[in-house]
């Protein structure tokens, strides 16, 4: 990891990464671990745990370069916590193993990740059953993240638009179909068309190089900040949200926006 993040000789992609940029990868690796466990695929689980461990190594290297902490701090912190919480195992509060006798080496990050994953799928394809390009997209991923991953995988096979404009047109088309479903009064059709609309929205985010899960998370946080502002302003005036009325709530919402919340 130190080599990959070396300012002069490191990997360009790894040098561009930050704590924030690798969070989506960390979440994905955690869900791939969960997926392997759910499938009881223990040989695969070992590899997925390695990928998840590498995320910790990555954060440790970022922390070291930023002067926040080093890999040893991460290991030392959890070791001390485990010793402290298990006095029945470590009665003297110390590890019996001499310090330095066990060394932990950071795993090397896999380069050409998508190419390697494709090679792994090709190896699996030698089995009798027909496998899809989408087989190893974890089902346990959050819906937005999984939609983006499915679209990315299909795009690698050429099933994709070349630009964002047709995606925007598709969103308009899906929105019209939602309106038709609502007019029909068919609850199942409404749910299905809403799913299509959200899938198209994720597709637009992908084309605009926006992580859909992160964008929605940020949207959630923005809504929460503004709604809490409304609650506080109403409380200051001796009012409640339930009693304020929509017009008053909209006024406070606009006020929250003007204050940059």
């Amino acid at each position: 990891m130190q080599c990959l993040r070396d300012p002069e000789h490191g990997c360009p992609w790894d040098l561009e990464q930050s704590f924030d940029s690798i969070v989506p990868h960390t979440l994905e690796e955690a869900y791939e671990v969960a997926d392997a466990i759910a499938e009881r695929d223990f040989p695969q689980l070992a590899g997925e745990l390695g990928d998840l461990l590498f995320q910790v190594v990555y954060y440790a290297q970022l922390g070291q370069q930023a002067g926040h902490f080093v890999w040893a701090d991460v290991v030392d912190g959890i070791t001390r916590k485990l010793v402290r919480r298990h006095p029945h195992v470590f009665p003297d509060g110390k590890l019996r193993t001499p310090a330095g006798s066990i060394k932990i080496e950071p795993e090397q990050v896999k380069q050409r990740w998508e190419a390697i994953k494709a090679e792994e799928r090709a190896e699996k394809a030698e089995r009798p059953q027909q496998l899809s390009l989408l087989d190893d997209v974890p089902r346990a991923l959050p819906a937005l993240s999984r939609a983006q991953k499915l679209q990315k995988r299909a795009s690698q096979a050429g099933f994709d638009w070349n630009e964002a404009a047709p995606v925007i047109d598709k969103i308009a088309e899906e929105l019209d179909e939602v309106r038709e479903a609502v007019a029909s009064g068919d609850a199942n059709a409404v749910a299905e068309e809403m799913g299509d609309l959200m899938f198209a929205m994720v597709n637009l985010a992908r084309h605009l190089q926006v992580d859909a899960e992160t964008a929605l998370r940020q949207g959630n946080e923005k809504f929460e900040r503004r709604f809490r502002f409304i609650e506080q302003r109403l409380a200051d005036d001796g009012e409640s949200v339930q009693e304020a009325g929509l017009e008053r709530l909209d006024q406070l919402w606009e006020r929250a926006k003007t204050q940059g919340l």
Side-chain angles (χ1 to χ4, degrees):
M1 193 66 245
Q2 290 176 346
C3 292
L4 291 172
R5 291 276 301 176
D6 182 87
E8 294 184 11
H9 308 293
C11 169
W13 187 90
D14 289 293
L15 287 170
E16 292 177 357
Q17 303 313 304
S18 65
F19 284 103
D20 294 326
S21 70
I22 63 172
V23 166
H25 300 287
T26 306
L27 294 173
E28 180 176 329
E29 296 299 351
Y31 278 106
E32 288 184 354
V33 167
D35 200 49
I37 292 173
E39 295 293 328
R40 290 298 186 265
D41 189 347
F42 294 110
Q44 181 69 16
L45 176 59
E48 300 298 352
L49 287 172
D51 294 342
L52 185 58
L53 174 61
F54 179 74
Q55 299 300 305
V56 181
V57 175
Y58 214 135
Y59 288 118
Q61 182 63 23
L62 290 170
Q64 177 176 323
Q65 291 179 319
H68 300 316
F69 54 86
V70 299
W71 170 255
D73 295 329
V74 177
V75 178
D76 184 65
I78 186 60
T79 301
R80 290 178 182 275
K81 182 184 294 184
L82 290 172
V83 170
R84 183 173 65 251
R85 292 184 177 182
H86 296 82
H88 53 293
V89 179
F90 308 103
D92 59 355
K94 297 180 181 179
L95 287 171
R96 296 184 182 277
T97 305
S101 62
I102 300 178
K103 296 182 180 180
I104 303 175
E105 297 291 337
E107 292 187 81
Q108 181 180 5
V109 107
K110 296 179 180 178
Q111 298 193 18
R112 295 174 61 246
W113 178 245
E114 291 299 333
I116 293 176
K117 293 287 283 188
E119 291 172 5
E120 293 173 352
R121 288 192 296 272
E123 292 176 1
K124 292 180 181 179
E126 295 177 0
R127 302 173 186 175
Q129 69 270 27
Q130 179 67 35
L131 295 176
S132 167
L133 285 170
L134 310 178
D135 277 352
D136 60 347
V137 179
R139 289 184 294 275
L141 279 172
L144 289 178
S145 295
R146 189 162 193 265
Q148 192 158 322
K149 187 78 171 179
L150 289 170
Q151 293 168 4
K152 180 180 178 182
R153 187 62 56 75
S155 177
Q156 292 170 356
F159 189 64
D160 197 6
W161 281 295
N162 294 325
E163 55 185 1
V167 185
I168 295 175
D169 293 338
K170 183 64 176 177
I171 290 173
E173 175 187 326
E174 296 294 352
L175 184 56
D176 287 339
E177 292 180 1
V178 169
R179 291 192 180 102
E180 293 175 6
V182 171
S184 74
D186 186 335
N188 291 331
V190 171
E192 180 179 349
E193 297 302 340
M194 280 299 302
D196 293 344
L197 176 60
M198 288 187 284
F199 192 83
M201 290 294 295
V202 172
N203 202 8
L204 177 59
R206 183 177 60 85
H207 274 271
L208 298 178
Q209 298 183 344
V210 173
D211 181 76
E213 189 74 25
T214 300
L216 182 57
R217 189 180 304 115
Q218 292 171 344
N220 291 342
E221 293 172 354
K222 181 191 294 184
F223 177 85
E224 185 175 2
R225 288 196 305 271
R226 292 177 178 176
F227 192 79
R228 288 181 183 274
F229 171 86
I230 292 173
E231 289 179 313
Q232 186 59 56
R233 296 291 79 77
L234 290 173
D236 292 343
D237 295 338
E239 300 179 69
S240 68
V241 175
Q242 293 80 3
E243 299 169 342
L246 183 57
E247 183 177 352
R248 170 76 166 137
L249 295 176
D250 280 340
Q251 291 174 349
L252 289 172
W253 180 268
E254 292 300 322
R255 183 176 168 189
K257 289 173 63 176
T258 60
Q259 296 191 12
L261 296 178

